[in-house]
Amino acid sequence: MLELSHLAYRYPGATQPALNGIDLQLQAGQCLGLLGSNGAGKTTLLSLLSGVLQPLDGQIVWHIERRLGLVPQQLAFYAGLKVKENLALFADLYGLRGAERRHCMERCIATTALQDKLERRAERLSGGEQRRLNFAIGLLQPAELYLFDEATVGVDAASRQLLLDAVQQLVAEGKAVIYTSHYLDEVEQVADRILLLHEGRVQLDIDKHQLLGEQPGLFLEWPEQAPDALPALLAELGLNAEHTPNGVRIATLDVEQLLAITRFIAAQPQTPSLLRFGRPSLEQLYLRLNGGRL
């Protein structure tokens, strides 16, 4: 539905481009998790897609009607208006009428749990409630592609899950989503594809399951150093392990191999400082791919 080709942008007076040679294809019903350090180019990319900025090089090709819904990083509503007045105003701006208007309004209010806040002025909402209103306004717009830029900052855990469920529902309905957040557990939950930007370039573009793997692995560390007998045990079990300064990372192993390692650990005088079994988290892999930098 969307294709970017050699997309580039440089801010006036900047010595380096904010984006340089971005190639990307996005399909309907796909959620792209957009990751990168501060200054990597994430917000610039969303600004180009939404038309706030115009590319200096390359092109953006829409293969469908260009209809965007945006939940920006900054709050974008009228603080002096009530919640219901804000929603009504943006429904007018989006051209919603009749039954479609009623359905969209009711759905956005329910999705963001704002039913009991409709009569309150936006400026008197808590920070998390203002984020929910910001989210509702973005969802209100009928669109084929939704852009979420740090949309859940400051939202409590229960409300955050409510909003993430709304994102997943959009994808289930065949909408495309680009989701950027520094909460990597959020991206891991909603995205099926991960794109990592680094200094304005695409460093990684891969299916989430391919990145995280389907099989569980084992990560072991000891306070000082791994037991001397551990390498021999791993060789006996036929396991390939990546050795770390104080332990090992084993990509895949079966139940019998796990049981043998557990018995070995139980027989040691010193217990591990870290024992993690399962798929690696997106946060672990992101820090590793990004050179350990948040």
Side-chain angles (χ1 to χ4, degrees), residues 9 11 18 28 55 63-64 78 92 102 111 130-131 174 176 208 234 240 263-264:
Y9 187 82
Y11 289 98
H63 297 287
I64 59 169
Y78 292 93
D92 288 341
R102 288 193 301 274
T111 295
Q130 289 182 338
R131 281 286 173 187
K208 178 182 71 176
L234 298 178
N240 292 319
R263 286 172 175 161
F264 172 82

Side-chain angles (χ1 to χ4, degrees), residues 11 21 42 65 72 103 134 136 152 173 179 181-182 237 254 280:
Y11 289 98
K42 304 186 300 297
E65 181 184 359
H103 172 73
N134 214 44
T152 62
E173 293 171 358
Y179 193 94
S181 175
H182 286 297
L237 296 174
D254 60 30

Side-chain angles (χ1 to χ4, degrees), residues 9 68 70 92-93 113 123 145 172 195 198 214 233 263 280:
Y9 187 82
L68 281 173
L70 172 64
D92 288 341
L93 293 174
E123 63 191 359
L145 171 62
L195 187 139
H198 179 66
E214 299 289 353
L233 173 67
R263 286 172 175 161

Side-chain angles (χ1 to χ4, degrees), residues 21-274:
I22 302 296
D23 294 319
L24 173 67
Q25 292 182 341
L26 188 65
Q27 309 296 328
Q30 186 175 65
C31 181
L32 177 69
L34 182 59
L35 302 181
S37 305
N38 291 331
K42 304 186 300 297
T43 298
T44 302
L45 178 57
L46 297 188
S47 297
L48 289 167
L49 291 175
S50 58
V52 174
L53 299 176
Q54 297 300 315
L56 298 184
D57 197 10
Q59 59 180 347
I60 302 173
V61 178
W62 294 87
H63 297 287
I64 59 169
E65 181 184 359
R66 183 180 179 273
R67 300 175 69 198
L68 281 173
L70 172 64
V71 180
Q73 187 171 357
Q74 303 299 326
L75 297 176
F77 51 74
Y78 292 93
L81 296 181
K82 296 178 180 179
V83 168
K84 68 176 184 180
E85 292 170 337
N86 266 291
L87 292 173
L89 172 61
F90 280 93
D92 288 341
L93 293 174
Y94 298 156
L96 295 173
R97 300 288 184 272
E100 181 187 20
R101 178 190 177 97
R102 288 193 301 274
H103 172 73
C104 290
M105 291 275 282
E106 291 171 0
R107 179 177 181 180
C108 289
I109 291 168
T111 295
T112 53
L114 289 172
Q115 297 93 327
D116 59 343
K117 305 292 187 297
L118 296 177
E119 296 296 332
R120 293 180 63 182
R121 294 195 183 280
E123 63 191 359
R124 296 182 180 175
L125 298 174
S126 69
E129 290 166 349
Q130 289 182 338
R131 281 286 173 187
R132 281 154 52 193
L133 174 57
N134 214 44
F135 209 97
I137 290 170
L139 290 179
L140 189 60
Q141 185 169 4
E144 298 302 322
L145 171 62
Y146 289 86
L147 309 177
F148 295 89
D149 187 10
E150 304 289 345
T152 62
V153 172
V155 177
D156 63 87
S159 298
R160 191 153 64 107
Q161 188 55 54
L162 193 71
L163 302 182
L164 295 179
D165 290 342
V167 174
Q168 291 177 301
Q169 182 60 36
L170 289 174
V171 177
E173 293 171 358
K175 309 299 184 183
V177 170
I178 297 180
Y179 193 94
T180 178
S181 175
H182 286 297
Y183 299 132
L184 297 187
D185 59 319
E186 285 188 3
V187 179
E188 185 173 349
Q189 179 177 335
V190 302
D192 47 33
R193 179 176 161 200
I194 303 297
L195 187 139
L196 175 62
L197 287 180
H198 179 66
E199 297 180 350
R201 295 181 179 273
V202 175
Q203 184 171 343
L204 184 74
D205 183 359
I206 194 170
D207 179 87
K208 178 182 71 176
H209 297 292
Q210 185 180 352
L211 176 64
L212 298 181
E214 299 289 353
Q215 299 299 320
L218 181 67
F219 188 33
L220 281 169
E221 279 190 354
W222 275 264
E224 297 176 1
Q225 64 178 28
D228 294 337
L230 182 60
L233 173 67
L234 298 178
E236 180 184 337
L237 296 174
L239 289 171
N240 292 319
E242 176 187 348
H243 290 270
T244 63
N246 297 327
V248 293
R249 181 183 292 110
I250 303 168
T252 59
L253 71 169
D254 60 30
V255 175
E256 293 299 324
Q257 292 166 327
L258 177 62
L259 180 59
I261 293 173
T262 304
R263 286 172 175 161
F264 172 82
I265 293 171
Q268 301 305 307
Q270 188 177 46
T271 57
S273 56
L274 177 65

